[in-house]
């Protein structure tokens, strides 16, 4: 109830891929998710926008 459902679903994962779609929104949405998953001990992979 106190944990976002996204984090509940990601809990059993060992690796998490965070991919941005460009436009800057990936910074506001992707980075907090990546930092939280890294703090939880997950291996975080990321893709960069080529633009």
């Amino acid at each position: 109830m106190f944990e976002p459902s996204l984090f509940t679903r990601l809990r059993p994962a060992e690796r998490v891929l965070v991919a941005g779609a460009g436009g800057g929104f990936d910074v506001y949405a992707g980075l907090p998710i990546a930092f939280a998953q890294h703090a939880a001990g997950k291996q975080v992979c990321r893709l960069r926008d080529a633009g």
Side-chain angles (χ1 to χ4, degrees), residues 1-39:
M1 180 173 159
F2 297 106
E3 181 179 62
S5 61
L6 175 64
F7 293 153
T8 303
R9 291 181 182 189
L10 289 175
R11 189 179 307 137
E14 294 179 11
R15 283 174 253 138
V16 178
L17 173 65
V18 178
F25 293 105
D26 49 342
V27 173
Y28 294 108
L31 281 179
I33 293 170
F35 289 145
Q37 293 302 299
H38 187 310

